[in-house]
Amino acid sequence: MYANAVKAVNKLRNGSAPKFSDGNYRGILTVSQAYDLKANTSTGQFTDISKYANPDRILNGEIGMIDGARLIESANVDTFSSTVTVHPALFAGAN
């Protein structure tokens, strides 16, 4: 999941997608994707919200940050089946 999240953020940057007013992008993840990211303890890959400098500005459902994208966990993201269960994620800029 980490590598795919970084690729998504890089596509936003390369496409000159505008950032939100806080200077970051947003990523909406399934509960399973959020679990995988939180379980990754490699240094520098995932920043948990408990390590934020300003924890008073946490978004509803926010779990942390990767590469300039604030990540929000949602149980309302529908999965779909192919040959496996697919867990889609949405990464977006401000517009």
Side-chain angles (χ1 to χ4, degrees):
M1 177 65 211
Y2 172 77
N4 289 332
V6 171
K7 283 181 189 178
V9 173
N10 283 332
K11 284 188 177 208
L12 290 168
R13 282 192 188 110
N14 287 334
S16 299
K19 295 178 180 179
F20 286 86
S21 61
D22 62 4
N24 297 292
Y25 296 111
R26 300 290 187 271
I28 311 296
L29 311 174
T30 67
V31 174
S32 295
Q33 291 168 323
Y35 172 82
D36 289 345
L37 286 173
K38 289 187 275 189
N40 183 351
T41 58
S42 299
T43 303
Q45 290 195 356
F46 172 75
T47 303
D48 188 270
I49 57 172
S50 66
K51 298 193 174 32
Y52 281 8
N54 294 316
D56 56 322
R57 295 186 180 166
I58 295 172
L59 301 171
N60 188 25
E62 185 173 1
I63 61 163
M65 183 180 289
I66 287 181
D67 198 34
R70 295 175 75 175
L71 304 175
I72 300 163
E73 176 182 1
S74 175
N76 295 321
V77 178
D78 290 331
T79 61
F80 58 93
S81 294
S82 179
T83 55
V84 296
T85 301
V86 177
H87 293 260
L90 171 70
F91 284 78
N95 291 334

